Amino acid sequence: MPEATMICDFCSSPAPAWRYPADSFTDIAGSRSVEDWLACEECHLLIVLGDRDALARRSLRAPGLRVAVAVLGRAETIRYCRDLHDRFWNARRGEAFRIAA
């Protein structure tokens, strides 16, 4: 069986470096987020800094969100990202830890 590829849960970077323990939750669209989230170095830094606006803008790099921008527009997609990230912040269960390379 092929090994699963890990990506940043925020921007879809193929190089996640941090794992954030989190409880499962449902987003505003009814999609289920199951437990821990992964973050690349850049998204992790934005999380540490608490820069939620920059994190939402960076998240627009994710392929699915690029489609959402085309369909819903940038402002609505940013609002979705902010809501999703707020739910992530509420679901966190402690500090992030570095993923072994």
Side-chain angles (χ1 to χ4, degrees):
M1 176 177 262
E3 186 176 318
T5 302
M6 295 192 312
I7 62 170
C8 175
D9 286 308
F10 297 90
C11 73
S12 294
S13 163
W18 295 89
R19 179 180 299 274
Y20 282 84
D23 292 325
S24 298
F25 63 89
T26 303
D27 73 8
I28 196 166
S31 296
R32 186 112 173 108
S33 172
V34 180
E35 298 182 349
D36 299 357
W37 279 47
L38 302 178
C40 65
E41 290 290 352
E42 293 83 2
C43 289
H44 170 71
L45 178 60
L46 294 173
I47 294 165
V48 169
L49 294 173
D51 193 343
R52 295 184 187 201
D53 289 329
L55 185 62
R57 288 190 309 274
R58 181 171 171 78
S59 294
L60 295 182
R61 295 177 179 202
L65 292 178
R66 286 192 299 237
V67 170
V69 169
V71 174
L72 302 172
R74 184 178 172 86
E76 188 61 33
T77 305
I78 289 283
R79 278 192 288 278
Y80 168 78
C81 286
R82 287 298 309 264
D83 180 76
L84 180 64
H85 296 165
D86 287 347
R87 291 168 192 255
F88 155 76
W89 249 275
N90 290 332
R92 283 181 58 185
R93 292 182 288 115
E95 295 302 315
F97 58 90
R98 185 169 285 283
I99 298 171

